[in-house]
Amino acid sequence: MIFKLVGDGRPYPEHGLSNREWAQIPPRQVRLDTLITTKAVLDLHSLLAKDSTFYGDLFPHVVQWNGDLYLEDGLHRALRAALHQRSVLHARVLELAH
């Protein structure tokens, strides 16, 4: 099992963070098997593109809410890590209050 759960949607409240605000959160290590995805579908072009992170954040965005970690952005990065047999990745984690 790569992820804790494959979800489809964001169960947590809207946080409204901009890309600039996400960039202020220092990355930390997160185990892949603790993540719940917020997307059930992945575009293979995104996964296989060599420059897929060129225009975006280098680190996935994770929202911690009610004790769970939701992978909001960066599914293709997480899957690449899994394909390279890594069990952790560096991500920016936003902790939302209940």
Side-chain angles (χ1 to χ4, degrees):
M1 184 70 135
I2 297 172
F3 300 113
K4 179 178 179 180
L5 184 68
V6 175
D8 192 15
R10 301 173 183 174
Y12 49 86
E14 179 61 40
H15 51 72
L17 255 62
S18 68
N19 286 336
R20 178 171 284 185
E21 291 168 316
W22 273 107
Q24 300 303 310
I25 299 172
R28 70 179 206 210
Q29 284 190 344
V30 177
R31 290 184 51 85
L32 292 174
D33 62 3
T34 64
L35 294 173
I36 299 171
T37 70
T38 59
K39 297 175 186 168
V41 178
L42 173 72
D43 178 11
L44 280 178
H45 292 290
S46 294
L47 177 65
L48 301 174
K50 291 181 181 180
D51 64 349
S52 65
T53 58
F54 184 76
Y55 296 105
D57 194 343
L58 291 176
F59 300 102
H61 297 171
V62 173
V63 175
Q64 183 173 353
W65 186 65
N66 285 344
D68 287 315
L69 296 171
Y70 294 93
L71 180 61
E72 180 174 287
D73 183 49
L75 180 58
H76 62 289
R77 293 178 198 92
L79 282 174
R80 268 201 207 134
L83 289 171
H84 285 97
Q85 299 178 357
R86 294 191 297 258
S87 60
V88 298
L89 78 154
H90 286 82
R92 300 183 193 279
V93 180
L94 172 67
E95 296 179 19
L96 286 183
H98 304 281

